[in-house]
Amino acid sequence: MSRKRRSFTTEYKVEAAHRMILGELCGESTKVERYSLMAAECATYEIHRMARLLDISRSGFYKHQGRSVRTQLNKPRQRRADLEMKISEIRKVSNSVYGAPRITAELRAGGEVITEKTVAKIM
């Protein structure tokens, strides 16, 4: 019986020490920084324990993880970003004189498959 109490007390003391050490981090850092710390240490420590020590929610951590994965562009978004760059470059060269029809013709001459309507939307 006393053994269980000791282990609980020892665990409580360790957790209290971690809280004191991380207390400064919690006060000075943003949630994003704390989520990043959790992501870096999730292989070593338990998520629920780190969340408790850093005073953030587990659900918030998992949402942050999902968002960081979604920041990478998929193929359609990457293509649109490339088209935006090309269109803005053509507009810059033409001193913003070219409209959607001329820009479409320029892009098609460069081998791009695109409609005038898409160019107009992006402009």
Side-chain angles (χ1 to χ4, degrees), residues 70-115:
R70 277 185 259 134
T71 57
Q72 298 171 350
L73 296 177
N74 54 14
K75 284 186 178 182
R77 287 185 181 176
Q78 182 63 50
R79 182 172 189 271
R80 185 168 178 102
D82 293 341
L83 286 173
E84 286 174 358
M85 293 290 290
K86 290 177 182 178
I87 290 170
S88 66
E89 186 177 319
I90 292 170
R91 282 183 59 98
K92 190 170 133 182
V93 169
S94 72
N95 293 325
S96 298
V97 173
Y98 283 9
R102 282 189 182 171
I103 292 176
T104 305
E106 289 267 336
L107 289 171
R108 285 182 181 163
E112 196 70 48
V113 178
I114 192 166
T115 64

Side-chain angles (χ1 to χ4, degrees), residues 6-73:
R6 260 192 235 145
S7 65
F8 176 75
T9 306
T10 306
E11 186 176 318
Y12 179 76
K13 286 180 181 178
V14 169
E15 191 166 315
H18 281 118
R19 230 180 243 282
M20 283 180 15
I21 292 167
L22 295 173
E24 294 177 19
L25 176 68
C26 291
E28 297 172 3
S29 65
T30 63
K31 282 189 178 182
V32 174
E33 291 171 341
R34 288 183 261 169
Y35 291 144
S36 299
L37 175 67
M38 278 182 70
E41 297 295 329
C42 68
T44 310
Y45 302 104
E46 298 171 342
I47 297 291
H48 69 89
R49 189 170 188 181
M50 284 192 295
R52 191 171 5 127
L53 290 172
L54 293 171
D55 196 31
I56 53 177
S57 66
R58 285 184 299 162
S59 62
F61 168 70
Y62 288 118
K63 276 186 183 177
H64 175 73
Q65 290 291 92
R67 279 189 222 116
S68 62
V69 170
R70 277 185 259 134
T71 57
Q72 298 171 350
L73 296 177

